[in-house]
Amino acid sequence: MTNSPSRPIRVMLVDDHTMVRRGLATFLKAFDDLELAGEAESGKVAIQLCAEVLPDVILMDMVMPDMDGAAATRAIRQQFPQVQVIALTSFKEGDLVKHALEAGAIGYLLKDVSADELVQAIRGAHAGRATLSPEAAQALVETTNQSPAPGPNLTEREREVLALMVEGLNNTQIAGRLTVSSSTIKSHVSNILSKLGVASRTEAVSLALRSRLIP
């Protein structure tokens, strides 16, 4: 996609720090093919503003109060699929990168990115090209290669049952505490053992304590 001089790329800034937005707004003025479409200080405001200004590209902070950048990105991409989102953050943890990309972000850059790299990423996003900072790419690879932690697929109810198992309660006592039948608890316990890959309640409790599955 080529950019017509008469149609600059409209960029929206989302960051809870005023100074960051001010710096990025000044940065955009240095390029004839970029234009500030609007600024938002939170994910919720970003969703509302996006509907009003319909930017081409959004520079989205990932860690913000109330609604984080991944949640805002997901909502915006669902409502406005033509809008491209670049995560621009100080954090390079693999889980953050993964969540941003799963939410629909086309790029992930750190805030120490050079002006040239940032403008190229904005132009690339507008053209449908993804950009990942080297640090983000490395973190994503490391996260992908990690063995999944035991127990992440436990349901909320199964976690409740496991917590009571850790307290030393038997099935009948757990059933009484949760006001369900003993057969229901027996089924939950069976699922817990299967998901944790253990053969007994004792092993399940031990693993729960070692892996801190229970808060």
Side-chain angles (χ1 to χ4, degrees):
M1 184 184 294
T2 56
N3 299 323
S4 166
S6 60
R7 175 67 169 84
I9 301 171
R10 292 168 49 74
V11 182
M12 192 171 100
L13 310 175
V14 184
D15 198 293
D16 58 329
H17 293 99
T18 303
M19 292 305 295
V20 172
R21 298 198 309 273
R22 191 167 297 166
L24 289 170
T26 301
F27 153 79
L28 293 176
K29 291 177 183 176
F31 301 92
D32 293 337
D33 63 333
L34 303 182
E35 175 182 281
L36 178 62
E39 298 180 34
E41 70 276 10
S42 72
K44 290 180 180 178
V45 174
I47 296 169
Q48 297 167 353
L49 185 61
C50 188
E52 297 172 17
V53 304
L54 284 176
D56 298 309
V57 177
I58 297 176
L59 298 182
M60 178 79 73
D61 190 16
M62 283 291 103
V63 181
M64 295 180 289
D66 297 329
M67 175 183 279
D68 65 25
T73 296
R74 181 174 287 105
I76 287 171
R77 290 285 295 159
Q78 287 173 349
Q79 295 179 48
F80 313 102
Q82 76 279 14
V83 176
Q84 299 289 3
V85 179
I86 297 173
L88 185 63
T89 178
S90 303
F91 301 91
K92 57 183 178 183
E93 283 78 8
D95 284 341
L96 273 179
V97 181
K98 186 169 178 280
H99 291 157
L101 298 180
E102 287 176 347
I106 196 170
Y108 196 104
L109 299 174
L110 300 183
K111 285 180 179 176
D112 60 1
V113 64
S114 72
D116 183 59
E117 288 171 324
L118 183 54
V119 72
Q120 291 302 327
I122 293 171
R123 291 167 180 160
H126 187 47
R129 294 192 304 272
T131 304
L132 276 183
S133 74
E135 298 92 342
Q138 180 63 31
L140 186 61
V141 168
E142 290 173 358
T143 298
T144 303
N145 289 341
Q146 285 176 355
S147 299
N153 58 344
L154 293 179
T155 66
E156 188 173 341
R157 176 59 90 179
E158 287 165 356
R159 287 183 184 276
E160 288 178 333
V161 172
L162 181 57
L164 294 175
M165 288 166 61
V166 170
E167 287 184 27
L169 275 61
N170 61 31
N171 285 6
T172 303
Q173 292 167 325
I174 294 173
R177 183 80 66 91
L178 299 180
T179 60
V180 297
S181 69
S182 293
S183 60
T184 297
I185 295 303
K186 186 177 179 181
S187 175
H188 283 318
V189 171
S190 177
N191 288 338
I192 291 168
L193 299 186
S194 175
K195 289 180 178 180
L196 295 183
V198 296
S200 69
R201 296 170 71 99
T202 304
E203 286 182 53
V205 169
S206 175
L207 180 60
L209 295 172
R210 283 201 321 271
S211 302
R212 298 179 180 173
L213 299 180
I214 305 303

